[in-house]
Amino acid sequence: MARWSALEEVCGLLGLKPLTKKGISFRHVRLAPGERAYVTGQPFRSLFVVHTGFLKSMMVSETGGVEVVSFPMRGDVLGLDGVYARSHPSEVIAQSLCELIEIPFQALVELWQDMPQLELGFFELISRELTRQQHLLLTLRSLSAEAKVARFLWSLSERFAGIGYSGTQFILRMTRQDIGSYLGLTHETVSRVMHALQQEGLISVDQRALTIHRSDVLQVMRRLPVRSRSR
Amino acid sequence: MARWSALEEVCGLLGLKPLTKKGISFRHVRLAPGERAYVTGQPFRSLFVVHTGFLKSMMVSETGGVEVVSFPMRGDVLGLDGVYARSHPSEVIAQSLCELIEIPFQALVELWQDMPQLELGFFELISRELTRQQHLLLTLRSLSAEAKVARFLWSLSERFAGIGYSGTQFILRMTRQDIGSYLGLTHETVSRVMHALQQEGLISVDQRALTIHRSDVLQVMRRLPVRSRSR
DNA sequence: CGTCTGCTTGATCAGGGTCAACTCAGGTGG
DNA sequence: CCACCTGAGTTGACCCTGATCAAGCAGACG
Protein backbone atom coordinates (compact mmCIF):
# COMPACT_ATOMS: atom_id res chain seq x y z
CA MET A 1 0.00 0.00 0.00
CA ALA A 2 2.46 2.62 1.20
CA ARG A 3 5.05 3.72 -1.28
CA TRP A 4 8.77 3.43 -0.70
CA SER A 5 11.63 5.55 -1.96
CA ALA A 6 15.19 4.51 -2.62
CA LEU A 7 18.08 6.39 -1.07
CA GLU A 8 18.90 7.88 -4.43
CA GLU A 9 15.47 9.47 -4.75
CA VAL A 10 15.70 10.96 -1.27
CA CYS A 11 19.10 12.46 -2.01
CA GLY A 12 17.66 14.00 -5.14
CA LEU A 13 14.80 15.59 -3.23
CA LEU A 14 17.24 17.04 -0.72
CA GLY A 15 19.54 18.42 -3.36
CA LEU A 16 22.40 16.13 -2.34
CA LYS A 17 24.63 14.18 -4.67
CA PRO A 18 22.56 11.14 -5.63
CA LEU A 19 24.05 8.26 -3.68
CA THR A 20 22.94 4.73 -4.24
CA LYS A 21 22.87 1.83 -1.86
CA LYS A 22 21.25 -1.53 -2.48
CA GLY A 23 18.46 -2.57 -0.19
CA ILE A 24 17.95 0.82 1.40
CA SER A 25 14.57 2.43 1.02
CA PHE A 26 12.29 4.60 3.09
CA ARG A 27 8.61 4.41 3.83
CA HIS A 28 6.15 7.09 2.77
CA VAL A 29 3.73 8.51 5.31
CA ARG A 30 0.44 10.10 4.29
CA LEU A 31 -1.09 12.97 6.20
CA ALA A 32 -4.57 14.43 5.76
CA PRO A 33 -4.95 18.20 6.24
CA GLY A 34 -4.78 18.96 9.94
CA GLU A 35 -2.85 15.81 10.84
CA ARG A 36 0.54 16.11 12.46
CA ALA A 37 3.85 14.50 11.54
CA TYR A 38 4.85 14.85 15.19
CA VAL A 39 3.83 16.93 18.17
CA THR A 40 5.79 19.03 20.62
CA GLY A 41 7.61 16.94 23.17
CA GLN A 42 7.24 13.71 21.26
CA PRO A 43 10.37 11.52 21.38
CA PHE A 44 12.57 12.03 18.36
CA ARG A 45 12.98 8.93 16.22
CA SER A 46 12.90 10.01 12.62
CA LEU A 47 13.54 12.83 10.23
CA PHE A 48 11.01 13.45 7.47
CA VAL A 49 11.53 14.71 3.96
CA VAL A 50 8.55 16.38 2.32
CA HIS A 51 7.65 14.61 -0.89
CA THR A 52 4.30 16.25 -1.62
CA GLY A 53 2.09 18.81 0.04
CA PHE A 54 2.33 21.87 2.25
CA LEU A 55 2.79 22.07 5.99
CA LYS A 56 3.41 24.47 8.81
CA SER A 57 5.80 24.08 11.68
CA MET A 58 5.02 25.66 15.05
CA MET A 59 6.73 26.10 18.38
CA VAL A 60 5.76 27.58 21.73
CA SER A 61 7.74 30.70 22.55
CA GLU A 62 9.04 31.62 25.98
CA THR A 63 5.99 33.78 26.45
CA GLY A 64 3.78 30.76 26.03
CA GLY A 65 2.26 31.63 22.67
CA VAL A 66 2.36 29.16 19.81
CA GLU A 67 4.11 30.75 16.85
CA VAL A 68 4.77 29.66 13.29
CA VAL A 69 8.38 28.78 12.57
CA SER A 70 8.28 27.78 8.92
CA PHE A 71 6.11 26.59 6.05
CA PRO A 72 7.80 23.43 4.76
CA MET A 73 7.16 22.12 1.27
CA ARG A 74 8.67 19.64 -1.20
CA GLY A 75 12.33 18.94 -0.53
CA ASP A 76 12.40 20.36 2.98
CA VAL A 77 13.55 18.33 5.97
CA LEU A 78 11.47 18.13 9.13
CA GLY A 79 12.72 17.29 12.59
CA LEU A 80 16.35 18.42 12.49
CA ASP A 81 15.76 20.47 15.63
CA GLY A 82 14.93 17.34 17.58
CA VAL A 83 18.32 15.67 17.25
CA TYR A 84 19.86 17.39 20.23
CA ALA A 85 17.25 16.84 22.90
CA ARG A 86 15.99 13.62 21.34
CA SER A 87 12.53 15.10 21.47
CA HIS A 88 10.78 17.49 19.12
CA PRO A 89 10.74 21.11 20.30
CA SER A 90 8.36 22.01 17.50
CA GLU A 91 5.41 20.40 15.80
CA VAL A 92 4.39 20.06 12.18
CA ILE A 93 0.85 20.18 10.82
CA ALA A 94 -0.24 19.27 7.31
CA GLN A 95 -2.04 22.09 5.49
CA SER A 96 -2.97 19.89 2.59
CA LEU A 97 -2.77 16.23 1.67
CA CYS A 98 0.87 15.42 2.29
CA GLU A 99 3.26 12.64 1.61
CA LEU A 100 6.38 12.51 3.75
CA ILE A 101 9.33 10.18 3.53
CA GLU A 102 10.28 8.89 6.94
CA ILE A 103 13.97 8.46 7.70
CA PRO A 104 14.58 6.63 10.97
CA PHE A 105 17.45 8.47 12.59
CA GLN A 106 19.11 5.36 13.94
CA ALA A 107 19.25 3.86 10.46
CA LEU A 108 20.59 7.12 9.09
CA VAL A 109 23.44 7.23 11.58
CA GLU A 110 24.33 3.65 10.68
CA LEU A 111 24.30 4.55 7.00
CA TRP A 112 26.75 7.34 7.71
CA GLN A 113 29.33 4.77 8.77
CA ASP A 114 29.54 3.39 5.26
CA MET A 115 28.86 6.60 3.42
CA PRO A 116 30.92 9.56 4.59
CA GLN A 117 29.55 11.69 1.78
CA LEU A 118 26.02 11.22 3.02
CA GLU A 119 27.08 12.22 6.49
CA LEU A 120 28.72 15.37 5.19
CA GLY A 121 25.65 16.08 3.10
CA PHE A 122 23.40 16.08 6.12
CA PHE A 123 25.83 18.19 8.08
CA GLU A 124 25.76 20.74 5.31
CA LEU A 125 21.99 20.58 5.22
CA ILE A 126 21.62 21.46 8.86
CA SER A 127 24.31 24.11 8.56
CA ARG A 128 22.34 25.72 5.77
CA GLU A 129 19.24 25.63 7.91
CA LEU A 130 21.14 27.39 10.69
CA THR A 131 22.37 30.10 8.35
CA ARG A 132 18.88 30.67 6.99
CA GLN A 133 17.47 30.95 10.45
CA GLN A 134 20.10 33.55 11.39
CA HIS A 135 19.42 35.48 8.24
CA LEU A 136 15.71 35.48 8.89
CA LEU A 137 16.24 36.68 12.43
CA LEU A 138 18.41 39.60 11.33
CA THR A 139 16.23 40.53 8.43
CA LEU A 140 12.83 40.42 10.07
CA ARG A 141 13.82 42.66 12.90
CA SER A 142 14.89 45.49 10.65
CA LEU A 143 12.06 45.53 8.12
CA SER A 144 8.84 47.50 8.00
CA ALA A 145 5.56 45.60 7.92
CA GLU A 146 5.23 46.22 4.20
CA ALA A 147 8.73 44.96 3.47
CA LYS A 148 8.17 41.87 5.61
CA VAL A 149 5.07 40.89 3.68
CA ALA A 150 6.72 41.67 0.35
CA ARG A 151 9.68 39.53 1.34
CA PHE A 152 7.39 36.73 2.42
CA LEU A 153 5.42 36.67 -0.82
CA TRP A 154 8.56 36.93 -2.87
CA SER A 155 10.19 34.04 -1.05
CA LEU A 156 7.06 31.90 -1.40
CA SER A 157 7.10 32.67 -5.10
CA GLU A 158 10.72 31.59 -5.42
CA ARG A 159 10.06 28.37 -3.58
CA PHE A 160 7.01 27.50 -5.64
CA ALA A 161 8.94 28.16 -8.82
CA GLY A 162 11.78 25.99 -7.49
CA ILE A 163 9.55 22.94 -7.17
CA GLY A 164 7.81 23.27 -10.48
CA TYR A 165 4.74 25.34 -9.68
CA SER A 166 3.94 28.77 -11.03
CA GLY A 167 5.86 31.47 -9.24
CA THR A 168 3.39 34.18 -10.19
CA GLN A 169 0.06 32.62 -9.37
CA PHE A 170 -0.57 30.40 -6.41
CA ILE A 171 -2.75 29.61 -3.45
CA LEU A 172 -1.74 30.73 0.02
CA ARG A 173 -2.14 27.61 2.10
CA MET A 174 -1.95 29.50 5.40
CA THR A 175 -4.24 31.97 7.17
CA ARG A 176 -3.42 35.67 7.66
CA GLN A 177 -3.00 34.77 11.30
CA ASP A 178 -0.26 32.27 10.44
CA ILE A 179 1.53 34.71 8.15
CA GLY A 180 1.38 37.30 10.90
CA SER A 181 2.77 34.91 13.46
CA TYR A 182 5.59 33.97 11.12
CA LEU A 183 6.49 37.58 10.37
CA GLY A 184 5.85 39.01 13.81
CA LEU A 185 2.78 41.02 12.78
CA THR A 186 -0.92 40.90 13.62
CA HIS A 187 -3.35 39.44 11.12
CA GLU A 188 -4.97 42.88 10.72
CA THR A 189 -1.67 44.37 9.60
CA VAL A 190 -1.05 41.53 7.16
CA SER A 191 -4.48 42.11 5.71
CA ARG A 192 -3.93 45.85 5.39
CA VAL A 193 -0.50 45.49 3.80
CA MET A 194 -1.75 42.99 1.23
CA HIS A 195 -4.52 45.37 0.38
CA ALA A 196 -2.00 48.17 -0.01
CA LEU A 197 0.20 46.05 -2.28
CA GLN A 198 -2.84 45.36 -4.40
CA GLN A 199 -3.68 49.07 -4.59
CA GLU A 200 -0.16 49.71 -5.82
CA GLY A 201 -0.75 47.15 -8.54
CA LEU A 202 2.01 44.79 -7.41
CA ILE A 203 -0.26 41.84 -6.67
CA SER A 204 -3.86 40.68 -6.79
CA VAL A 205 -5.37 38.92 -3.80
CA ASP A 206 -8.73 37.29 -3.53
CA GLN A 207 -8.95 35.38 -0.29
CA ARG A 208 -6.23 32.75 -0.56
CA ALA A 209 -5.64 33.16 -4.29
CA LEU A 210 -2.63 35.30 -5.13
CA THR A 211 -1.18 36.67 -8.35
CA ILE A 212 2.10 38.54 -8.49
CA HIS A 213 2.24 41.23 -11.17
CA ARG A 214 5.50 42.97 -10.41
CA SER A 215 7.92 40.54 -8.80
CA ASP A 216 10.74 42.96 -9.61
CA VAL A 217 9.23 45.63 -7.38
CA LEU A 218 8.56 43.11 -4.63
CA GLN A 219 12.17 42.05 -4.79
CA VAL A 220 13.36 45.59 -4.23
CA MET A 221 10.79 46.39 -1.59
CA ARG A 222 11.65 43.34 0.48
CA ARG A 223 14.92 44.94 1.48
CA LEU A 224 13.69 48.35 2.47
CA PRO A 225 14.49 48.96 6.11
CA VAL A 226 12.07 50.56 8.51
CA ARG A 227 14.19 53.63 8.13
CA SER A 228 17.85 53.13 8.91
CA ARG A 229 17.97 50.95 11.95
CA SER A 230 21.71 50.73 12.41
CA ARG A 231 23.48 53.83 11.25
CA MET B 1 54.85 29.04 22.00
CA ALA B 2 51.25 28.29 21.10
CA ARG B 3 49.40 25.92 23.36
CA TRP B 4 47.78 22.74 22.15
CA SER B 5 44.76 20.90 23.45
CA ALA B 6 44.03 17.20 23.29
CA LEU B 7 40.77 15.93 21.83
CA GLU B 8 39.59 15.02 25.29
CA GLU B 9 39.93 18.60 26.51
CA VAL B 10 38.01 19.95 23.53
CA CYS B 11 35.19 17.49 24.11
CA GLY B 12 35.04 18.60 27.71
CA LEU B 13 34.75 22.24 26.70
CA LEU B 14 31.95 21.43 24.31
CA GLY B 15 30.04 19.39 26.83
CA LEU B 16 30.47 16.18 24.84
CA LYS B 17 31.40 12.81 26.23
CA PRO B 18 35.20 13.01 26.69
CA LEU B 19 36.65 10.96 23.88
CA THR B 20 40.33 10.21 23.70
CA LYS B 21 42.52 9.59 20.73
CA LYS B 22 46.29 9.37 20.75
CA GLY B 23 48.20 11.87 18.69
CA ILE B 24 45.28 14.21 18.09
CA SER B 25 45.58 17.72 19.36
CA PHE B 26 44.51 21.17 18.29
CA ARG B 27 46.34 24.44 18.09
CA HIS B 28 45.38 27.48 20.14
CA VAL B 29 44.94 30.82 18.44
CA ARG B 30 45.34 34.09 20.34
CA LEU B 31 43.30 37.15 19.46
CA ALA B 32 43.78 40.67 20.79
CA PRO B 33 40.67 42.79 21.33
CA GLY B 34 39.38 43.91 17.95
CA GLU B 35 41.02 41.10 16.01
CA ARG B 36 38.87 38.72 14.01
CA ALA B 37 38.81 34.94 13.98
CA TYR B 38 37.47 35.15 10.42
CA VAL B 39 35.73 37.72 8.26
CA THR B 40 32.59 37.58 6.14
CA GLY B 41 33.13 35.74 2.91
CA GLN B 42 36.38 34.14 3.98
CA PRO B 43 36.73 30.51 2.84
CA PHE B 44 35.68 28.08 5.50
CA ARG B 45 38.47 25.80 6.71
CA SER B 46 38.12 25.44 10.45
CA LEU B 47 35.73 25.54 13.34
CA PHE B 48 36.84 27.27 16.52
CA VAL B 49 36.03 26.49 20.10
CA VAL B 50 36.27 29.38 22.55
CA HIS B 51 38.71 28.56 25.32
CA THR B 52 39.04 31.96 26.94
CA GLY B 53 37.65 35.43 26.33
CA PHE B 54 34.57 37.13 24.94
CA LEU B 55 33.63 37.78 21.34
CA LYS B 56 30.83 39.02 19.16
CA SER B 57 29.57 37.51 15.96
CA MET B 58 28.09 39.74 13.26
CA MET B 59 26.39 39.32 9.92
CA VAL B 60 25.08 41.65 7.24
CA SER B 61 21.31 41.51 6.95
CA GLU B 62 19.36 41.67 3.69
CA THR B 63 18.91 45.36 4.25
CA GLY B 64 22.65 45.84 4.23
CA GLY B 65 23.13 46.68 7.89
CA VAL B 66 25.65 44.78 9.98
CA GLU B 67 23.89 43.23 12.95
CA VAL B 68 25.03 41.27 15.97
CA VAL B 69 24.14 37.59 15.88
CA SER B 70 25.60 36.31 19.14
CA PHE B 71 28.09 36.92 21.92
CA PRO B 72 30.20 33.76 22.11
CA MET B 73 32.16 32.83 25.21
CA ARG B 74 33.93 29.82 26.71
CA GLY B 75 32.66 26.53 25.34
CA ASP B 76 30.87 27.99 22.33
CA VAL B 77 31.62 26.88 18.78
CA LEU B 78 32.33 29.38 16.03
CA GLY B 79 31.93 28.82 12.32
CA LEU B 80 29.20 26.17 12.15
CA ASP B 81 27.27 28.36 9.76
CA GLY B 82 30.08 28.19 7.22
CA VAL B 83 29.91 24.46 6.60
CA TYR B 84 27.24 24.65 3.95
CA ALA B 85 28.58 27.33 1.65
CA ARG B 86 32.21 26.59 2.53
CA SER B 87 32.59 30.26 3.31
CA HIS B 88 31.75 32.23 6.43
CA PRO B 89 28.46 34.15 6.21
CA SER B 90 29.26 35.88 9.48
CA GLU B 91 32.33 37.28 11.14
CA VAL B 92 33.66 37.09 14.67
CA ILE B 93 35.47 39.84 16.56
CA ALA B 94 37.30 39.48 19.85
CA GLN B 95 36.00 41.81 22.56
CA SER B 96 38.80 40.90 24.95
CA LEU B 97 41.98 38.88 24.88
CA CYS B 98 40.83 35.55 23.52
CA GLU B 99 42.16 32.10 23.10
CA LEU B 100 40.44 29.91 20.54
CA ILE B 101 41.07 26.28 19.71
CA GLU B 102 41.19 25.77 15.98
CA ILE B 103 39.66 22.59 14.59
CA PRO B 104 40.48 22.09 10.92
CA PHE B 105 37.24 20.85 9.39
CA GLN B 106 38.93 18.39 7.07
CA ALA B 107 40.66 16.73 9.99
CA LEU B 108 37.41 16.66 11.93
CA VAL B 109 35.58 14.88 9.14
CA GLU B 110 38.36 12.32 8.97
CA LEU B 111 38.14 11.82 12.70
CA TRP B 112 34.44 11.11 12.37
CA GLN B 113 35.26 8.02 10.32
CA ASP B 114 36.88 6.36 13.30
CA MET B 115 34.70 7.89 15.96
CA PRO B 116 30.98 7.74 15.27
CA GLN B 117 30.21 9.14 18.69
CA LEU B 118 32.15 12.28 17.92
CA GLU B 119 30.25 12.70 14.71
CA LEU B 120 26.94 12.34 16.49
CA GLY B 121 28.13 14.77 19.13
CA PHE B 122 28.77 17.46 16.58
CA PHE B 123 25.48 16.80 14.87
CA GLU B 124 23.73 17.27 18.17
CA LEU B 125 25.70 20.43 18.80
CA ILE B 126 24.58 22.05 15.59
CA SER B 127 21.04 20.83 16.13
CA ARG B 128 21.03 22.53 19.52
CA GLU B 129 22.26 25.71 17.91
CA LEU B 130 19.42 25.54 15.41
CA THR B 131 16.85 25.09 18.15
CA ARG B 132 18.26 28.01 20.13
CA GLN B 133 18.17 30.22 17.09
CA GLN B 134 14.52 29.33 16.46
CA HIS B 135 13.66 29.97 20.05
CA LEU B 136 15.38 33.33 19.99
CA LEU B 137 13.53 34.30 16.83
CA LEU B 138 10.14 33.45 18.31
CA THR B 139 10.85 34.99 21.63
CA LEU B 140 12.35 38.29 20.57
CA ARG B 141 9.52 39.15 18.27
CA SER B 142 6.90 38.89 20.96
CA LEU B 143 8.62 40.71 23.83
CA SER B 144 8.51 44.33 24.93
CA ALA B 145 11.76 46.27 25.04
CA GLU B 146 11.94 45.89 28.79
CA ALA B 147 11.42 42.13 28.63
CA LYS B 148 14.03 41.80 25.90
CA VAL B 149 16.67 43.52 27.97
CA ALA B 150 15.68 41.61 31.10
CA ARG B 151 15.94 38.37 29.16
CA PHE B 152 19.30 39.36 27.76
CA LEU B 153 20.79 40.20 31.15
CA TRP B 154 19.34 37.09 32.70
CA SER B 155 20.76 34.90 29.97
CA LEU B 156 24.18 36.54 30.26
CA SER B 157 24.05 35.91 33.97
CA GLU B 158 23.27 32.23 33.45
CA ARG B 159 26.08 31.84 30.97
CA PHE B 160 28.62 33.56 33.20
CA ALA B 161 27.59 31.36 36.09
CA GLY B 162 27.89 28.32 33.85
CA ILE B 163 31.54 28.97 33.11
CA GLY B 164 32.60 29.75 36.63
CA TYR B 165 32.18 33.51 36.86
CA SER B 166 29.83 35.37 39.13
CA GLY B 167 26.32 35.37 37.81
CA THR B 168 25.31 38.44 39.78
CA GLN B 169 28.15 40.82 39.12
CA PHE B 170 29.94 41.14 35.83
CA ILE B 171 31.25 43.42 33.15
CA LEU B 172 29.28 43.95 29.95
CA ARG B 173 31.84 43.43 27.22
CA MET B 174 29.62 44.95 24.54
CA THR B 175 28.35 48.44 23.82
CA ARG B 176 24.71 49.50 24.14
CA GLN B 177 24.73 49.70 20.39
CA ASP B 178 25.66 46.02 20.15
CA ILE B 179 23.05 44.98 22.67
CA GLY B 180 20.48 46.97 20.73
CA SER B 181 21.47 45.37 17.46
CA TYR B 182 21.26 41.92 19.03
CA LEU B 183 17.82 42.57 20.51
CA GLY B 184 16.40 44.63 17.68
CA LEU B 185 16.32 47.89 19.65
CA THR B 186 18.10 51.22 19.40
CA HIS B 187 20.91 52.00 21.80
CA GLU B 188 18.83 54.81 23.30
CA THR B 189 16.10 52.38 24.23
CA VAL B 190 18.58 49.95 25.75
CA SER B 191 20.00 52.76 27.82
CA ARG B 192 16.56 53.88 29.00
CA VAL B 193 15.42 50.38 29.88
CA MET B 194 18.55 49.67 31.90
CA HIS B 195 17.99 52.91 33.73
CA ALA B 196 14.41 51.89 34.43
CA LEU B 197 15.48 48.47 35.72
CA GLN B 198 17.89 50.23 38.05
CA GLN B 199 15.13 52.56 39.29
CA GLU B 200 13.05 49.51 40.08
CA GLY B 201 15.92 48.17 42.13
CA LEU B 202 16.46 45.05 40.04
CA ILE B 203 19.98 45.86 38.94
CA SER B 204 22.76 48.41 39.31
CA VAL B 205 24.55 49.70 36.24
CA ASP B 206 27.56 51.92 36.08
CA GLN B 207 28.80 52.08 32.52
CA ARG B 208 29.79 48.51 31.71
CA ALA B 209 29.72 47.25 35.29
CA LEU B 210 26.54 45.40 36.17
CA THR B 211 25.12 43.93 39.36
CA ILE B 212 21.94 41.91 39.47
CA HIS B 213 19.97 42.30 42.67
CA ARG B 214 16.76 40.48 41.88
CA SER B 215 17.43 37.74 39.37
CA ASP B 216 14.10 36.20 40.32
CA VAL B 217 12.20 39.24 39.09
CA LEU B 218 14.28 39.41 35.93
CA GLN B 219 13.45 35.80 35.25
CA VAL B 220 9.74 36.47 35.46
CA MET B 221 9.91 39.72 33.52
CA ARG B 222 11.81 38.17 30.64
CA ARG B 223 8.68 36.34 29.59
CA LEU B 224 6.22 39.20 29.68
CA PRO B 225 4.76 39.66 26.24
CA VAL B 226 4.25 43.06 24.68
CA ARG B 227 0.63 42.60 25.65
CA SER B 228 -0.91 39.42 24.35
CA ARG B 229 0.38 39.01 20.86
CA SER B 230 -1.32 35.79 19.95
CA ARG B 231 -4.69 35.41 21.54
C1' DC C 1 44.31 69.38 26.10
C1' DG C 2 41.36 68.35 22.26
C1' DT C 3 39.05 64.71 20.00
C1' DC C 4 36.44 60.61 19.59
C1' DT C 5 33.40 57.20 20.88
C1' DG C 6 30.12 55.54 24.00
C1' DC C 7 26.37 56.72 27.03
C1' DT C 8 22.54 59.37 28.80
C1' DT C 9 18.41 62.12 28.69
C1' DG C 10 14.66 64.82 26.64
C1' DA C 11 11.04 66.07 23.09
C1' DT C 12 8.51 64.58 19.32
C1' DC C 13 6.21 61.50 16.23
C1' DA C 14 4.57 57.50 13.59
C1' DG C 15 4.15 52.57 12.63
C1' DG C 16 1.70 49.17 13.83
C1' DG C 17 -0.92 47.03 17.79
C1' DT C 18 -5.50 46.94 20.02
C1' DC C 19 -10.33 46.90 20.06
C1' DA C 20 -14.55 46.60 17.73
C1' DA C 21 -17.83 45.98 14.13
C1' DC C 22 -18.99 43.93 9.91
C1' DT C 23 -18.72 40.77 5.71
C1' DC C 24 -18.15 36.49 3.61
C1' DA C 25 -17.62 31.43 2.74
C1' DG C 26 -18.33 26.97 4.13
C1' DG C 27 -20.40 23.52 6.98
C1' DT C 28 -24.27 21.58 9.76
C1' DG C 29 -28.64 20.22 10.78
C1' DG C 30 -33.56 20.72 11.10
C1' DC D 1 -33.40 24.29 1.05
C1' DC D 2 -32.68 27.61 4.17
C1' DA D 3 -31.38 29.27 8.86
C1' DC D 4 -27.73 29.29 11.64
C1' DC D 5 -23.08 29.13 13.20
C1' DT D 6 -18.22 29.52 13.05
C1' DG D 7 -13.79 31.07 11.69
C1' DA D 8 -11.33 33.85 8.36
C1' DG D 9 -10.78 38.21 6.50
C1' DT D 10 -11.53 43.23 6.14
C1' DT D 11 -11.89 47.92 7.65
C1' DG D 12 -11.97 51.84 10.81
C1' DA D 13 -10.75 54.63 15.08
C1' DC D 14 -7.62 55.21 18.54
C1' DC D 15 -3.47 55.02 21.15
C1' DC D 16 1.06 53.31 22.90
C1' DT D 17 5.73 51.81 22.44
C1' DG D 18 9.79 52.59 20.84
C1' DA D 19 12.24 55.09 16.88
C1' DT D 20 14.05 59.49 15.59
C1' DC D 21 16.33 63.71 16.25
C1' DA D 22 19.03 66.55 19.15
C1' DA D 23 21.95 67.97 22.76
C1' DG D 24 25.06 67.30 26.49
C1' DC D 25 28.54 64.41 29.30
C1' DA D 26 32.22 61.37 30.54
C1' DG D 27 36.07 58.43 29.93
C1' DA D 28 40.01 56.93 26.72
C1' DC D 29 43.77 58.15 24.13
C1' DG D 30 47.05 60.46 21.18
Side-chain angles (χ1 to χ4, degrees):
Chain A
M1 184 77 267
R3 282 186 54 199
W4 293 72
S5 284
L7 177 58
E8 192 170 355
E9 190 185 343
V10 175
C11 285
L13 260 178
L14 292 175
L16 303 178
K17 286 195 193 73
L19 299 168
T20 311
K21 173 135 183 163
K22 282 259 167 71
I24 301 290
S25 61
F26 302 97
R27 197 165 57 89
H28 284 221
V29 179
R30 287 232 170 77
L31 296 182
E35 284 189 319
R36 283 143 219 255
Y38 49 82
V39 300
T40 300
Q42 177 177 330
F44 168 81
R45 303 235 178 288
S46 302
L47 298 173
F48 298 87
V49 179
V50 181
H51 179 275
T52 332
F54 302 90
L55 308 95
K56 79 176 170 189
S57 148
M58 322 194 57
M59 195 164 147
V60 319
S61 76
E62 280 180 28
T63 61
V66 180
E67 310 266 356
V68 176
V69 175
S70 65
F71 297 105
M73 56 180 77
R74 173 168 246 256
D76 292 329
V77 188
L78 310 177
L80 283 175
D81 54 0
V83 175
Y84 171 65
R86 293 301 152 112
S87 81
H88 293 285
S90 57
E91 67 184 54
V92 171
I93 307 179
Q95 309 255 80
S96 68
L97 260 174
C98 288
E99 202 161 321
L100 309 182
I101 302 174
E102 176 168 9
I103 305 183
F105 190 64
Q106 198 47 247
L108 183 63
V109 172
E110 282 160 19
L111 259 184
W112 287 346
Q113 297 312 308
D114 307 345
M115 315 181 77
Q117 304 189 47
L118 187 66
E119 170 201 331
L120 195 54
F122 268 87
F123 207 77
E124 288 171 359
L125 217 60
I126 195 170
S127 159
R128 183 180 63 186
E129 212 55 43
L130 183 64
T131 311
R132 274 194 195 153
Q133 222 31 245
Q134 279 182 358
H135 225 86
L136 190 66
L137 179 65
L138 290 202
T139 302
L140 285 191
R141 76 186 174 204
S142 60
L143 291 181
S144 69
E146 195 169 41
K148 283 181 183 176
V149 174
R151 182 189 191 282
F152 174 72
L153 295 178
W154 181 83
S155 112
L156 263 193
S157 156
E158 291 283 295
R159 296 174 71 200
F160 277 122
I163 59 174
Y165 291 98
S166 163
T168 56
Q169 202 159 4
F170 47 85
I171 302 292
L172 297 171
R173 298 313 205 291
M174 63 295 283
T175 66
R176 303 284 188 267
Q177 189 78 252
D178 288 338
I179 299 176
S181 167
Y182 179 69
L183 296 175
L185 301 170
T186 60
H187 63 109
E188 293 98 326
T189 301
V190 173
S191 187
R192 274 186 263 263
V193 169
M194 300 216 339
H195 183 73
L197 292 178
Q198 184 165 34
Q199 291 295 312
E200 297 166 35
L202 306 186
I203 63 173
S204 301
V205 253
D206 175 32
Q207 300 288 103
R208 302 287 181 90
L210 191 120
T211 310
I212 297 185
H213 301 304
R214 302 290 309 275
S215 71
D216 53 336
V217 181
L218 277 192
Q219 190 172 353
V220 173
M221 183 181 300
R222 96 201 146 100
R223 42 178 87 240
L224 290 185
V226 109
R227 194 143 314 257
S228 59
R229 178 70 53 105
S230 49
R231 277 159 297 177
Chain B
M1 185 80 266
R3 282 185 55 198
W4 294 71
S5 284
L7 178 59
E8 190 170 356
E9 191 185 341
V10 175
C11 285
L13 259 178
L14 292 175
L16 303 179
K17 286 195 193 73
L19 299 168
T20 311
K21 173 134 183 163
K22 280 260 166 69
I24 300 291
S25 62
F26 302 96
R27 197 165 57 89
H28 284 221
V29 179
R30 287 230 171 79
L31 296 181
E35 284 189 316
R36 283 143 219 253
Y38 49 81
V39 300
T40 300
Q42 177 177 328
F44 168 79
R45 303 232 179 290
S46 303
L47 298 173
F48 298 88
V49 179
V50 182
H51 179 275
T52 332
F54 302 90
L55 307 96
K56 79 175 170 188
S57 149
M58 323 195 54
M59 195 163 146
V60 321
S61 77
E62 279 181 29
T63 61
V66 180
E67 310 266 356
V68 176
V69 175
S70 65
F71 297 105
M73 55 179 78
R74 174 169 245 256
D76 291 329
V77 188
L78 311 177
L80 283 174
D81 54 1
V83 175
Y84 171 66
R86 293 299 152 114
S87 81
H88 293 284
S90 58
E91 67 185 55
V92 171
I93 307 179
Q95 309 257 80
S96 70
L97 260 175
C98 289
E99 203 161 321
L100 309 182
I101 303 174
E102 177 168 8
I103 305 183
F105 190 64
Q106 199 47 247
L108 183 62
V109 172
E110 282 160 19
L111 259 184
W112 288 346
Q113 298 312 309
D114 308 344
M115 314 182 78
Q117 304 189 45
L118 188 66
E119 170 201 332
L120 195 54
F122 268 87
F123 207 78
E124 287 171 359
L125 218 60
I126 195 170
S127 159
R128 183 180 64 186
E129 212 56 42
L130 182 64
T131 312
R132 274 195 196 152
Q133 218 37 241
Q134 279 182 358
H135 225 88
L136 190 66
L137 178 64
L138 291 201
T139 302
L140 284 191
R141 76 185 173 204
S142 62
L143 291 182
S144 68
E146 195 168 42
K148 283 181 184 177
V149 174
R151 182 189 190 282
F152 174 72
L153 295 177
W154 180 83
S155 112
L156 264 192
S157 157
E158 291 281 294
R159 295 174 72 200
F160 277 122
I163 59 175
Y165 292 98
S166 164
T168 57
Q169 201 159 5
F170 49 85
I171 303 291
L172 297 170
R173 297 312 205 293
M174 63 295 283
T175 67
R176 304 284 189 267
Q177 188 78 252
D178 288 338
I179 299 175
S181 167
Y182 179 70
L183 296 175
L185 302 170
T186 59
H187 63 109
E188 293 98 325
T189 302
V190 173
S191 188
R192 274 186 261 264
V193 169
M194 299 215 339
H195 183 74
L197 293 178
Q198 183 165 33
Q199 291 295 312
E200 297 166 34
L202 306 185
I203 63 173
S204 301
V205 253
D206 175 34
Q207 300 289 102
R208 303 287 183 88
L210 192 121
T211 310
I212 297 184
H213 300 305
R214 304 290 308 275
S215 70
D216 53 336
V217 181
L218 277 191
Q219 190 171 355
V220 173
M221 182 181 303
R222 97 201 146 98
R223 42 177 88 240
L224 289 186
V226 107
R227 192 141 314 256
S228 59
R229 177 71 54 105
S230 49
R231 276 158 296 177

